Amino acid sequence: MPTVEHDEETVERLEQLQVEDESYDEIITELINIYEAEELTMFHGGDEY
């Protein structure tokens, strides 16, 4: 697995999103899933025109 380094500002933002004992990996995975879901919704939304 590759190593990813986060700058101080990113860590601070992740800490603000953290719920209980949630790891940074879990937060990032959730953000990626949200991004992909929104992208899919936007892609399909354009098909209706």
Side-chain angles (χ1 to χ4, degrees):
M1 176 152 232
T3 302
V4 178
E5 294 184 26
H6 306 293
D7 63 19
E8 188 175 322
E9 181 181 349
T10 301
V11 172
E12 288 173 6
R13 293 177 75 185
L14 288 171
E15 287 174 350
Q16 291 173 358
L17 296 172
Q18 207 168 20
V19 178
E20 294 181 12
D21 294 332
E22 193 174 32
S23 72
Y24 293 153
D25 287 344
E26 292 170 323
I27 296 169
I28 292 169
T29 300
E30 186 175 345
L31 291 172
I32 290 169
N33 290 338
I34 291 168
Y35 173 79
E36 289 175 344
E38 287 181 2
E39 185 177 279
L40 242 171
T41 302
M42 289 174 55
F43 177 73
H44 290 295
D47 290 345
E48 295 178 15
Y49 291 105

